[in-house]
Amino acid sequence: HKKASGKRLNTIEEGVMDIFGKGKSVDTSLSTAIFDFAAQAGKYWKSGGVGCDFYRRCDTPVDDILAMIETELDDFEKLEQSMKGSKNKVEKEMTDEKATVEEMLQTLDSEIVLE
């Protein structure tokens, strides 16, 4: 309803709209179907209508939900930045962990053959 009333969407709101509720139908085989239905309700049912009430799942204000999404996105961006250049280190740690698990399994049963 915000966009329909001429108000500007922030980047988080635009991102949510880009992900959910595209078009005028919902593919119920997708894991996002319930979110797509909710997005359709928000876009096409009048404010305060039956669909809006049906899909309102919590009392958390929309601004708080958007702030939570923004915080999560910031956290993922920080994680992504911290991982840059770490591919070799991560691969070595995985190889070392695999070797440790293989050794543990061999001590339990020497007939275990790992591929």
Side-chain angles (χ1 to χ4, degrees), residues 25-37:
S25 63
V26 174
D27 183 347
T28 57
S29 68
L30 297 175
S31 61
T32 60
I34 192 71
F35 300 108
D36 292 330
F37 277 121

Side-chain angles (χ1 to χ4, degrees), residues 10-102:
N10 66 35
T11 55
I12 302 298
E13 291 167 321
E14 288 176 357
V16 169
M17 284 192 65
D18 285 343
I19 295 170
F20 301 111
K22 291 184 176 189
K24 292 188 177 187
S25 63
V26 174
D27 183 347
T28 57
S29 68
L30 297 175
S31 61
T32 60
I34 192 71
F35 300 108
D36 292 330
F37 277 121
Q40 296 292 347
K43 283 195 290 189
Y44 298 112
W45 285 327
K46 68 178 184 170
S47 181
V50 174
C52 294
D53 290 338
F54 179 78
Y55 283 104
R56 183 159 180 87
R57 297 290 180 166
C58 67
D59 293 324
T60 306
V62 171
D63 289 339
D64 291 351
I65 293 170
L66 294 173
M68 287 185 265
I69 292 171
E70 188 168 13
T71 298
E72 292 296 322
L73 290 173
D74 289 344
D75 289 347
F76 277 114
E77 188 174 316
K78 288 175 189 171
L79 178 62
E80 183 179 33
Q81 291 300 320
S82 74
M83 294 297 291
K84 283 191 176 179
S86 300
K87 181 179 179 185
N88 292 337
K89 180 182 175 187
V90 171
E91 286 177 351
K92 181 183 179 328
E93 288 179 18
M94 289 174 60
T95 301
D96 292 347
E97 185 174 343
K98 180 181 177 187
T100 301
V101 170
E102 287 175 352

